[in-house]
Amino acid sequence: MKLGAVVITMGNRPDELRALLDSVAGQDGDRVEVVVVGNGAPVPDVPAGVRTVELPENLGIPGGRNVGIEAFGPSGADVDALLFLDDDGLLPLSDTAELCRQAFEADPELGIISFRIADPDTGVTQRRHVPRLRAADPMRSSRVTTFLGGANAVRTKVIAEVGPLPGRFFYAHEETDLAWRALDAGWMIDYRADMVLNHPTTAPSRHAVYHRMVARNRVWLARRNLPGPLVPVYLGVWLLLTLVRKPSGPALKAWLGGFREGWATPCGTRRPMKWRTVWRLTRLGRPPVI
């Protein structure tokens, strides 16, 4: 099984990027071909053999990754699976790529693998980095219903069948959009605790656009993918959860603005999932109302 890797960068973490690329080069087994996409920024110096693409503008996370996918041919067809890795991450173990190959080869229904993200200093995995509701034990691998954007592997047949990441999302929930479409097409997703990406512990809310993007894209996600009766239920639950969490005044204002924007702006093509997919999500422990 041939693997490739896509890394997007803003060019502002050259040392971390170099360390990540070295960790990919050090993987056991056949070489993993890498494409680094400069998302509206020049790409720093990279090792020989690493391909680069420099975009004139920042297309956002999904848009940048989609460009990286196409660098491997239409829908990434030149390889069997693609690793998507954050540019400030690091693969601390040399067997991660080989474990990906083994997992995909052993299970033809497996479409996406979500890695475990661990802090490089403490080894701690944040609860939000375990893509399931029962997240207390990050060391337990399981089937899941979504995946982590900067620490995963996707079979390129999935992309060819259901399409790429939703570029208009720019940031937030693009992984769940792809995950729901993959599950609706019959693919499965695994969270693997033994496949690790080291990444510094950060709070997503450090980004100024976080609250608006999260709310807007949550609405787009529901409008694009859920059966009609579930759209108000799903969004109503998330509205209540947001209020219960008591965000600061500015954060709540940004969130509500994004929520309104999600209803007022185009969300892209609507393809509601089948009701049997709703049942599959429910059986996997995360019904699409939360």
Side-chain angles (χ1 to χ4, degrees):
M1 171 167 272
K2 188 174 182 181
L3 298 182
V6 173
V7 180
I8 59 173
T9 183
M10 298 293 292
N12 56 349
R13 293 190 281 236
D15 295 338
E16 292 90 339
L17 174 63
R18 187 64 181 240
L20 169 66
L21 297 176
D22 288 344
S23 73
V24 175
Q27 291 296 299
D28 301 336
D30 294 340
R31 177 176 175 268
V32 179
E33 186 178 350
V34 182
V35 169
V36 177
V37 178
N39 213 356
V43 176
D45 289 338
V46 296
V50 173
R51 290 189 288 154
T52 62
V53 179
E54 293 187 354
L55 303 177
E57 61 178 313
N58 183 357
L59 299 182
I61 293 173
R65 286 182 178 144
N66 286 342
V67 170
I69 292 170
E70 294 302 308
F72 288 95
S75 300
D78 294 346
V79 293
D80 298 301
L82 284 169
L83 281 63
F84 295 91
L85 306 170
D86 277 349
D87 69 339
D88 56 345
L90 180 80
L91 297 175
L93 306 174
S94 64
D95 63 351
T96 302
E98 195 61 28
L99 288 173
C100 284
R101 293 188 186 97
Q102 293 171 7
F104 284 128
E105 288 171 348
D107 185 355
E109 293 186 345
L110 180 61
I112 302 172
I113 301 171
S114 188
F115 302 166
R116 179 169 63 89
I117 295 179
D119 184 271
D121 297 323
T122 65
V124 171
T125 296
Q126 293 179 275
R127 187 181 183 92
R128 69 184 182 88
H129 283 153
V130 182
R132 59 177 179 245
L133 290 179
R134 296 180 179 178
D137 182 7
M139 301 306 294
R140 178 173 67 87
S141 300
S142 68
R143 293 282 202 203
V144 290
T145 61
T146 188
F147 63 99
L148 306 173
N152 67 80
V154 179
R155 198 189 291 264
T156 53
K157 285 183 180 179
V158 173
I159 300 167
E161 183 174 351
V162 307
L165 294 157
R168 69 178 61 215
F169 278 39
F170 197 85
Y171 166 78
H173 301 319
E174 65 271 8
E175 303 92 357
T176 300
D177 187 272
L178 178 60
W180 282 1
R181 286 183 281 129
L183 288 163
D184 197 47
W187 296 98
M188 301 301 292
I189 306 169
D190 278 357
Y191 166 73
R192 288 285 297 265
D194 56 338
M195 301 182 191
V196 182
L197 181 88
N198 279 352
H199 189 281
T201 298
T202 55
S205 55
R206 72 191 187 282
H207 300 298
V209 299
Y210 169 79
H211 299 285
R212 181 177 69 87
M213 291 288 194
V214 162
R216 183 198 67 182
N217 292 359
R218 182 81 69 185
V219 178
W220 282 357
L221 177 70
R223 290 174 57 200
R224 283 164 58 92
N225 295 286
L226 290 181
L230 293 185
V231 173
V233 179
Y234 177 82
L235 295 175
V237 167
W238 278 104
L239 176 59
L240 289 174
L241 282 173
T242 300
L243 295 175
V244 167
R245 289 169 177 171
K246 298 180 180 179
S248 67
L252 180 59
K253 182 179 179 181
W255 194 96
L256 292 173
F259 194 79
R260 288 191 296 269
E261 183 183 351
W263 286 107
T265 54
C267 64
T269 303
R270 173 168 165 76
R271 294 190 179 94
M273 66 178 64
K274 307 173 191 73
W275 282 103
R276 68 169 177 259
T277 305
V278 173
W279 176 236
R280 172 187 279 190
L281 289 162
T282 302
R283 286 190 292 111
L284 290 169
R286 191 150 198 163
V289 293
I290 188 169

